[in-house]
Amino acid sequence: MIEQYRWQGGFPKIGIRPTIDGRRRGVRESLEEKTMTMARNVAEFFSSTLRNPDGSPVECVIADTCIGGVAEASAAAKKFAKENVGLSVTVTPCWCYGTETMDMDASIPQAVWGFNGTERPGAVYLAAVLAGYAQKGIPAFGIYGHDVQDLADNSIPQDVQEKLLAFAKSGLAVANLRGKSYLSMGSVSMGIAGSVVNETFFQDYLGMRNEYVDMSEFVRRMDEVIYDTAEYEKALAWVKEYCKEGPDNNEPEGQKSREAKDKDWETVVKMALIARDLMIGNPRLAELGFEEEANGHNAIASGFQGQRQWTDHFPNGDFMEAMLNSSFDWNGIRSPYIVATENDSLNGVTMLFGYLLTHSAQIFADVRTYWSPDAVKRVTGYTLEGKAAEGIIHLINSGAAALDGSGEQTQNGQPVMKPHWEITQDEADNCLAATSWRPASTGYFRGGGFSSDFLTKGGMPVTMARINLVKGLGPVLQIAEGYTVDLPEAVHDALDKRTDPTWPTTWFTPVLTGEGSFKTVYDVMDNWGANHGVLSYGHVGADLITLASMLRIPVNMHNVPEEKIYRPKVWGLHGTSDKEGADYRACQNFGPLYK
């Protein structure tokens, strides 16, 4: 019931705009069927390929008629507004009247596919309308097939498919952000700048609003029993069966009694229920007489301050964060929630980007330590090899990473992190079995609690990313594609025990280019902009770059091959020899999407 309630607002749709040469008495009539067929084929391609966060097919809306002039363009715009269209793709096989047929909605991402055929000048329209978009200050993406097609060929070439998907995935992410909330549960954690929530960033760049609750709201809801008690009992029984408790590393005088630990389990389970209800609401609360609380905060992401005002007295938020960020819980397999530890809203947004692009859970971590090959050799006697040969980065945080990050889901025999609709119950059970819940270090967490402890399997392609804010510049995004790596057990133990072995560990190595920030692994670590980072499954740096360009967020470092980068056509008019500089200039020129 709660999952159905979660997505009650529906999902944005993709608008398809078939544009046509408006000249009647033979020209337009000869092109109607071809143009509308292009539109239908693109709509079918999207709906058969793309999924919404709940796993349902993405819906498309096609203009009622081909668009040959401003009246039909206006009619399509009205239909799109009524149908919750969040991005639009214009398609055409021919010349059209550019400024008369273009989509003038500057608040949504725009793309144009101009058919590469010799019979009619679709490429000429594409160039003309993109020039119009540039002149009017609406960055649009151009799509032009590499090879000439015959006019009767209604297929979508592979290179066109790739650009359509790159645009649509990022455009849907933009549209899914708009109108949602980021919920701060608490305030600033230990002086971490990312937990100083910047409303201007959320409003101007993401189209989101900010919501706030004090952490005392958790105490109120626990004391006044503002949660579903039946679900609580179900969740607690599930925890006792599937969440195995690990060894207590605290000194004997710092260890809690069995009775106190059992009480902590009850508290952290209630915290997970309450945090979820604060984010999205819960119709069950209305049935219990709590109509206001039942509404939630329409939050697509949240953050929990925890340290230290909460954790000096109450159990930590690790279980709450780890389970909500995972793709399963006591109610079964479901889409992950996005909860940032220490209320690091900038890492929370980066998690949100990764989730909306991949639909899989995200790993929140400290970018803790760079281990050079020499340092590993000195400490353990082991010589790093394979993908780890140039050095590794230790990603570890206090137990809030999604359990999917254990790598216990598989595809073709390899560890992966899947969208929830592809995860089997056995895979969810394996993630749970690979995780132990360690009594929290009372040096860090005086109030106790439990931290998840797992080791990420090596061999997964992943992308590390992070948004940072710079005074006078605004947000910037950094990206590092790489791989998780395995270490021999003794080597892992030796390195892991130098930090806190009760927390989940991921050994990460970036793909090096030999230049700039990616000359060495040390350079990646040295150029990272904050203490936190996010790991998304897959090499999705190109998608992140496309998404960032839609939101006007420049990218300050990445190791994505140039041929994979896809930005609005007008970015090239800001310079072609210095593409990183052109990205900064374009983002500054056009400004935030919603400002």
Side-chain angles (χ1 to χ4, degrees):
M1 183 177 182
I2 189 67
E3 282 302 299
Q4 295 173 348
Y5 182 78
R6 180 180 179 184
W7 305 114
Q8 62 179 333
F11 298 104
K13 302 172 185 175
I14 304 176
I16 312 295
R17 306 176 69 256
T19 58
I20 199 166
D21 191 325
R23 286 172 285 200
R24 299 282 185 174
R25 300 182 184 178
V27 176
R28 174 166 177 157
E29 290 82 355
S30 69
L31 295 164
E32 288 275 3
E33 182 179 352
K34 171 67 179 181
T35 305
M36 193 57 79
T37 297
M38 282 183 70
R40 294 191 187 104
N41 287 348
V42 169
E44 171 60 26
F45 172 65
F46 282 146
S47 294
S48 63
T49 307
L50 296 172
R51 301 279 194 106
N52 290 311
D54 69 343
S56 63
V58 167
E59 294 184 51
C60 295
V61 177
I62 302 175
D64 291 332
T65 68
C66 290
I67 300 168
V70 67
E72 289 161 321
S74 178
K78 291 177 181 177
K79 179 178 183 179
F80 287 1
K82 185 183 299 184
E83 293 282 350
N84 191 29
V85 165
L87 60 156
S88 80
V89 178
T90 297
V91 301
T92 188
C94 60
W95 167 253
C96 316
Y97 301 155
T99 58
E100 296 181 22
T101 58
M102 65 192 294
D103 189 340
M104 293 290 289
D105 189 345
S107 68
I108 68 173
Q110 308 278 354
V112 183
W113 174 26
F115 185 79
N116 184 2
T118 56
E119 291 85 350
R120 295 282 181 175
V124 178
Y125 169 72
L126 176 63
V129 77
L130 290 174
Y133 275 118
Q135 190 167 325
K136 292 179 178 294
I138 306 175
F141 290 77
I143 301 171
Y144 180 56
H146 185 272
D147 297 319
V148 172
Q149 291 179 260
D150 297 333
L151 191 62
D153 182 359
N154 290 317
S155 67
I156 304 176
Q158 182 63 36
D159 62 324
V160 173
Q161 290 184 26
E162 291 172 1
K163 288 186 174 180
L164 286 169
L165 284 179
F167 169 78
K169 284 194 293 184
S170 294
L172 287 166
V174 170
N176 274 302
L177 292 170
R178 188 185 303 119
K180 298 294 196 305
S181 304
Y182 177 87
L183 173 63
S184 295
M185 298 179 289
S187 183
V188 180
S189 174
M190 301 184 296
I192 294 172
S195 61
V196 181
V197 177
N198 187 300
E199 289 202 354
T200 299
F201 165 62
F202 279 92
Q203 179 177 321
D204 291 356
Y205 284 88
L206 308 178
M208 295 174 62
R209 68 170 69 209
N210 296 91
E211 290 283 288
Y212 304 88
V213 296
D214 190 88
M215 288 183 292
S216 62
E217 178 66 4
F218 283 80
V219 180
R220 183 180 80 91
R221 293 196 182 204
M222 284 189 279
D223 287 351
E224 299 182 21
V225 195
I226 308 176
Y227 54 87
D228 184 345
T229 56
E231 185 182 5
Y232 164 69
E233 295 295 340
K234 175 183 179 182
L236 187 62
W238 180 87
V239 164
K240 290 178 179 179
E241 182 174 358
Y242 292 104
C243 296
K244 61 184 180 184
E245 192 174 310
D248 191 336
N249 277 31
N250 292 293
E251 295 297 326
E253 62 272 15
Q255 294 184 10
K256 287 192 169 188
S257 67
R258 183 66 260 166
E259 181 182 8
K261 288 177 180 178
D262 290 342
K263 184 67 175 177
D264 281 357
W265 273 118
E266 294 174 3
T267 299
V268 299
V269 170
K270 291 174 186 176
M271 288 169 64
L273 294 174
I274 290 168
R276 182 203 63 197
D277 292 350
L278 282 166
M279 288 181 68
I280 68 168
N282 187 342
R284 177 66 180 143
L285 298 184
E287 298 171 8
L288 297 172
F290 302 105
E291 290 86 355
E292 181 181 0
E293 290 85 349
N295 287 324
H297 290 266
N298 193 35
I300 195 172
S302 68
F304 182 70
Q305 175 191 339
Q307 300 185 71
R308 288 181 42 206
Q309 286 82 343
W310 180 268
T311 57
D312 277 5
H313 184 65
F314 294 104
N316 65 16
D318 287 9
F319 175 82
M320 169 187 71
E321 295 161 1
M323 288 313 309
L324 289 176
N325 281 324
S326 300
S327 300
F328 44 83
D329 61 17
W330 45 89
N331 289 320
I333 296 169
R334 44 90 177 138
S335 52
Y337 297 84
I338 300 298
V339 186
T341 194
E342 294 158 353
N343 195 28
D344 185 347
S345 61
L346 298 180
N347 226 47
V349 169
T350 312
M351 293 170 73
L352 193 51
F353 285 1
Y355 167 61
L356 291 174
L357 290 171
T358 68
H359 297 312
S360 60
Q362 306 293 297
I363 300 176
F364 181 115
D366 275 356
V367 185
R368 180 62 67 98
T369 309
Y370 160 68
W371 280 97
S372 69
D374 289 343
V376 173
K377 181 75 170 179
R378 177 181 62 82
V379 170
T380 69
Y382 176 72
T383 300
L384 292 174
E385 58 186 16
K387 286 186 168 64
E390 300 298 319
I392 50 178
I393 295 175
H394 194 179
L395 302 179
I396 181 173
N397 197 280
S398 58
L403 272 58
D404 305 57
S406 61
E408 293 291 336
Q409 299 159 22
T410 60
Q411 190 171 63
N412 299 322
Q414 298 299 311
V416 298
M417 295 170 66
K418 297 179 179 179
H420 77 274
W421 58 83
E422 295 180 6
I423 298 172
T424 67
Q425 188 59 56
D426 283 345
E427 289 173 326
D429 292 343
N430 290 340
C431 291
L432 287 161
T435 305
S436 66
W437 296 92
R438 308 289 296 275
S441 168
T442 52
Y444 279 105
F445 306 113
R446 297 173 186 173
F450 299 90
S451 297
S452 62
D453 180 25
F454 62 76
L455 174 62
T456 301
K457 285 189 173 182
M460 291 197 294
V462 290
T463 302
M464 187 166 73
R466 166 76 186 188
I467 289 176
N468 295 293
L469 287 179
V470 182
K471 185 175 177 63
L473 175 63
V476 295
L477 176 66
Q478 50 189 169
I479 299 165
E481 294 185 339
Y483 293 88
T484 63
V485 296
D486 289 318
L487 297 178
E489 184 176 356
V491 177
H492 162 73
D493 285 344
L495 304 184
D496 197 42
K497 287 177 181 176
R498 294 172 70 102
T499 54
D500 192 318
T502 68
W503 298 343
T505 278
T506 304
W507 297 108
F508 169 74
T509 187
V511 174
L512 301 178
T513 65
E515 299 178 350
S517 300
F518 292 90
K519 186 174 182 179
T520 67
V521 179
Y522 172 84
D523 290 315
V524 175
M525 179 76 178
D526 194 39
N527 282 282
W528 205 250
N531 53 310
H532 291 152
V534 175
L535 276 190
S536 303
Y537 178 77
H539 286 165
V540 295
D543 290 331
L544 284 166
I545 290 173
T546 299
L547 173 58
S549 69
M550 291 179 177
L551 298 170
R552 324 287 199 258
I553 299 174
V555 178
N556 70 294
M557 64 177 273
H558 72 82
N559 57 349
V560 178
E562 184 175 328
E563 63 271 16
K564 292 185 177 181
I565 296 174
Y566 187 42
R567 290 179 168 126
K569 183 74 170 181
V570 71
W571 258 235
L573 300 181
H574 290 77
T576 56
S577 59
D578 172 21
K579 293 191 175 182
E580 183 174 293
D583 181 31
Y584 274 79
R585 289 187 290 273
C587 290
Q588 182 180 37
N589 180 34
F590 292 110
L593 182 58
Y594 301 104
K595 189 172 182 179

